[in-house]
Amino acid sequence: QVQLVESGGGLVQPGASLRLACAASGRTSTSHTMAWFRQAPGKERSFVAAIRWRDNNAFYANSLKGRFTISRDKAKSTAYLQMNGLSPDDTAVYYCANGPHLIASQTGVPGAYDYWGQGTQVTVSS
C-alpha cells in the first residue's frame, strides 16, 4: 500500500502562484510515476502533470505546459506542482496519484494509477 498526502492548496488571487506537495509513504517503488490531476465542480477529473521517478521525465497537459511545473524530491518521496499565473479556471480539487513506471501515452490516464490522495482544494478568486 502507498499513502499519499497532498498539501499546499488554498485561496489565492488571479495571477498568483501556488506550490502543491504530495508526500508518499508506505511501499513506494524506486521506479514509479507520480501525477497530478484536478477536478473542477461539475467536470470530470483531468490530467495536469506527471513525473517518472526513475528518469525524472515530466509530462504535461498541453494547455498547462509552460505555466505549471512538476518536480520531485527523491529523498523526501515528495512530488511538487508549481503553479504560476493562476486564473479562476484553475479552481479545482487537485489530486495526487501514484502508479508504476508509465510510458508517455499512459501518464494522462487516471486508470493507470493505483493510489490516490484525498485531494487539496485550490480556489482562485478576487
Side-chain angles (χ1 to χ4, degrees):
Q1 286 278 19
V2 174
Q3 292 79 42
L4 303 173
V5 178
E6 301 104 332
S7 61
L11 171 63
V12 296
Q13 293 188 338
S17 298
L18 207 57
R19 190 176 81 153
L20 305 181
C22 175
S25 62
R27 301 183 66 176
T28 55
S29 166
T30 57
S31 181
H32 57 273
T33 304
M34 289 185 73
W36 290 95
F37 288 77
R38 68 184 184 182
Q39 188 166 17
K43 295 186 177 180
E44 293 187 354
R45 192 168 298 190
S46 63
F47 173 67
V48 175
I51 190 165
R52 290 194 309 213
W53 226 248
R54 189 171 68 196
D55 55 20
N56 202 32
N57 277 358
F59 308 89
Y60 297 92
N62 288 336
S63 61
L64 301 175
K65 199 176 297 183
R67 201 159 57 86
F68 287 15
T69 303
I70 191 170
S71 62
R72 59 136 167 81
D73 184 328
K74 294 178 73 174
K76 295 182 178 180
S77 296
T78 299
Y80 301 96
L81 183 68
Q82 177 67 42
M83 306 183 292
N84 298 327
L86 288 164
S87 77
D89 289 341
D90 296 312
T91 295
V93 177
Y94 284 71
Y95 296 92
C96 177
N98 178 280
H101 185 88
L102 299 173
I103 61 175
S105 61
Q106 295 173 317
T107 57
V109 179
Y113 297 88
D114 302 311
Y115 302 99
W116 292 83
Q118 292 299 308
T120 185
Q121 176 71 46
V122 172
T123 302
V124 185
S125 175
S126 56

